[in-house]
Amino acid sequence: MSTTNEDLQQWIDEVAALTRPDQIKWCDGSDAEYRGLIDEMLASGDLLELNQETHPNCYLHRSDPNDVARVEHLTFVCTKHQQDAGPNNNWMHPAEAHAQMNGLFEGCMQGRTMYVIPYCMGPIDSPYARCGVEVTDSPYVVVNMNLMTRMGAAALERIEREGSFVKGLHSIGDLDPEVRFIMHFPDELQIQSFGSGYGGNALLGKKCHALRIASYQARNEGWLAEHMLIVEVESPQGEKHYLAAAFPSACGKTNLAMLIPPETYDGWKVRTIGDDIAWLHVDDDGRLRAVNPESGYFGVVPGTNRKTNHNAYDMIRRDAIFTNVAVTADNEPWWEGKDSGEPVIDWKGNQINGSGEAAAHPNSRFTVAAKQNPSYSPLADDPAGVPISAIIFGGRRRELAPLVYEALDWGHGVLVGASVASETTAAAAGKVGVTRRDPMAMKPFCGYNFANYWGHWLSFTARAKRLPKIFHVNWFRQDQDGKFLWPGFGDNLRVMRWIIDRCENRVDAVETPIGYLPKDGDIDTNGLTIDDATMRSLLSVDRDAWLAELEAVAEYFEEYEDRVPELLEAERERVVAGLKA
Ligand code: SAT
Ligand code: MN
């Protein structure tokens, strides 16, 4: 196979001349191709077969122990001017980055097969969808892209019809952590990734294309590419709402997108449109519509069990690729928080020795096709996407942020999003549990200067007539002993219900300087063993702590100097004045 698109053909020829692979394979996305690659990887030891009786078509990949998470310090946005990448990105001049990457890619595929993966982010017939081509020397990347994106023949056809696509070049190199770079060239619609085979570093359709490059395109074209799940909530009366929610990596987006209603919520249905990324466009009626550019999930495994998320638990019992989990004596996958079985071999392939170290890596992952999700919504395939009623921001915060509050209006909501902070998780290399600013949960993913990004968000008041309401939630508030105050998981539907009632103007709220909070008793706790005092502390606003928070936000904004929109600073001052009054 090759292509009628000259630009694509020429690029593939150039890449092949540079990297010198033994052979080139154009991927068609077929089941036979998927099967063939799995068999090759089983033969090479890249994949290990798991118990096929209990877990049909499930396989385990052990990544290099130095290559288990995204590497933000090695991820760059290469624009001509450093200010355009902003203080939120590592920057390198495109000419320098190209010279460096060309040196690394030179001859790197000798002895290997080069795979050409045409893919489409978004429903294949959607006007909102965008295509790309990833070239890689990793068969693991090909099978993951098969599960995560609409890849193969149909995507290539669309590329040949439309002509435009994002170019992604990837090689695992020698998996040397010292020689690892994830480079983005937004003006050229190019991504180059070297030296890692892991998730967001290597599956270039995901964070590199659908967020970093897409956010840059979205700014120029008047839409938004966001790190958000999209969930459909249907009441017993058949009223449907679509909510989009942004949380940092490994803060429970997949669980919220696949939420199982509490027992007392008879007749409520929750369905998944997307679990990680949303592309938001203004439609002809002036509403925001969302599509999920992906068609599969790359989810955190630890903590998944029948109680926390039986949909996810069932979903990964067949046709799933596990990365860096442990295995039991019966050769079943095992992870911390799985409520059955015992690990005998850890994620590195060593016999468990009782050292107390985690058996599965804390950032171990499953990859599955979205259609396998018992709560999959067919609207995930709708080319028109779904209209969004509410946007929800959240972070992992031991204190300060109440369980839920509503922004006063869109402009204030942008401040709420821009102020998001969260404790770091194992999804990225580095220390875990440190609170850092993560505006809109996009810190690792915004492909341009955050200050311009906030300005772009603010511009939607002029672009759209019927904007969604904006909320902030915090499922992670703890008491002095470190105990979580809110049960989380399925019970988060109780909070989403209040959010929906607010969108429908069915429930009043208490106005405070930080936003609207639920009145006493308006969050349904029927069936929960949570006392009034706990609910009050979950919904309390500590004035002094909030004043300190807004001061910290001001300091954070200072890094962005004069690019910070005046409107955003005015919103911040408005909240400060309210708190002082
Ligand atoms: O590694 S990924 O970026 O794909 C997953 C995540 O961190 O959200
Ligand atoms: Mn994510």
Side-chain angles (χ1 to χ4, degrees), residues 207 227 249 253 276:
K207 303 295 164 73
H227 192 205
S249 299
K253 282 209 300 297
D276 196 39

Side-chain angles (χ1 to χ4, degrees), residues 21 35 47 65 68 80 85 172 179 221 246 257 268 291 306 324 353 385 402 459 469 472 495 500 522 540 557 561 577:
R35 189 66 245 172
L47 282 188
V68 292
K80 275 198 202 81
I172 54 174
V179 193
E221 299 169 8
W268 286 81
V291 292
R306 280 192 197 85
N324 294 337
N353 60 13
S459 77
K469 283 181 185 266
H472 186 283
V495 174
I500 289 169
D522 277 353
S540 61
F557 285 171
E561 299 175 345

Side-chain angles (χ1 to χ4, degrees), residues 411-423:
H412 176 228
V414 175
L415 173 70
V416 169
S419 313
V420 166
S422 191
E423 292 155 28

Side-chain angles (χ1 to χ4, degrees), residues 149 350 498:
T149 70
N350 299 324
W498 182 79

Side-chain angles (χ1 to χ4, degrees), residues 2 20 40 46 68 82 107 114 141 148 205 227 245-246 275 291 341 366 373 377 408 412 441 454 477 488 507 511 580:
S2 60
R20 300 201 292 281
E40 276 174 35
D46 259 0
V68 292
Q82 178 163 12
M114 175 174 122
V141 165
M148 298 295 299
H227 192 205
D275 82 323
V291 292
F366 58 75
N373 174 359
S377 168
L408 300 170
H412 176 228
W454 301 323
R477 196 133 156 187
V507 63
E511 186 172 346
K580 283 187 175 157

Side-chain angles (χ1 to χ4, degrees), residues 101-372:
M101 296 307 276
N102 283 343
L104 295 176
F105 279 114
E106 166 97 59
C108 73
M109 294 192 191
Q110 287 176 76
R112 298 181 187 171
T113 299
M114 175 174 122
Y115 301 94
V116 181
I117 314 170
Y119 62 85
C120 179
M121 301 310 288
I124 196 100
D125 295 321
S126 172
Y128 305 136
R130 295 299 171 89
C131 292
V133 177
E134 174 165 0
V135 172
T136 179
D137 54 10
S138 160
Y140 168 81
V141 165
V142 182
V143 293
N144 275 275
M145 286 290 283
N146 178 297
L147 298 174
M148 298 295 299
T149 70
R150 293 147 176 105
M151 68 94 124
L156 182 59
E157 254 168 55
R158 182 167 168 159
I159 289 170
E160 290 177 344
R161 202 168 58 237
E162 286 185 343
S164 69
F165 62 97
V166 169
K167 294 170 180 160
L169 173 54
H170 169 252
S171 171
I172 54 174
D174 302 320
L175 296 175
D176 176 354
E178 301 300 320
V179 193
R180 182 173 291 163
F181 290 103
I182 326 295
M183 300 284 194
H184 302 76
F185 304 90
D187 292 312
E188 304 164 29
L189 299 185
Q190 278 218 60
I191 305 155
Q192 297 194 344
S193 166
F194 190 90
S196 168
Y198 193 81
N201 301 331
L203 312 176
L204 302 187
K206 197 175 179 57
K207 303 295 164 73
C208 300
H209 178 167
L211 288 177
R212 296 195 193 95
I213 298 285
S215 62
Y216 189 92
Q217 287 182 297
R219 180 197 177 198
N220 293 331
E221 299 169 8
W223 52 284
L224 293 164
E226 297 299 325
H227 192 205
M228 290 176 177
L229 65 93
I230 312 164
V231 66
E232 173 183 323
V233 181
E234 182 177 348
S235 74
Q237 292 74 38
E239 183 184 285
K240 285 188 187 176
H241 283 273
Y242 305 94
L243 315 178
F247 299 86
S249 299
C251 285
K253 282 209 300 297
T254 307
N255 282 328
L256 187 61
M258 302 181 64
L259 181 145
I260 316 264
E263 265 163 32
T264 49
Y265 273 57
D266 222 15
W268 286 81
K269 296 191 185 81
V270 177
R271 302 185 191 91
T272 319
I273 312 267
D275 82 323
D276 196 39
I277 300 175
W279 285 356
L280 304 162
H281 288 258
V282 180
D283 70 11
D284 293 341
D285 300 326
R287 277 178 313 187
L288 271 194
R289 297 191 82 84
V291 292
N292 170 15
E294 301 186 284
S295 64
Y297 313 137
F298 185 66
V300 176
V301 194
T304 309
N305 62 49
R306 280 192 197 85
K307 250 182 39 223
T308 54
N309 188 342
H310 71 72
N311 276 344
Y313 191 78
D314 291 345
M315 173 174 76
I316 58 180
R317 291 177 71 93
R318 62 179 175 89
D319 304 303
I321 296 174
F322 289 88
T323 301
N324 294 337
V325 294
V327 289
T328 67
D330 294 333
N331 200 26
E332 293 188 354
W334 192 92
W335 52 86
E336 274 64 28
K338 186 180 190 177
D339 49 11
S340 63
E342 255 188 66
V344 294
I345 297 177
D346 71 9
W347 65 275
K348 293 181 187 159
N350 299 324
Q351 211 73 30
I352 303 272
N353 60 13
S355 70
E357 264 178 61
H361 189 276
N363 191 37
S364 52
R365 297 275 171 161
F366 58 75
T367 320
V368 288
K371 288 211 168 106
Q372 241 168 262

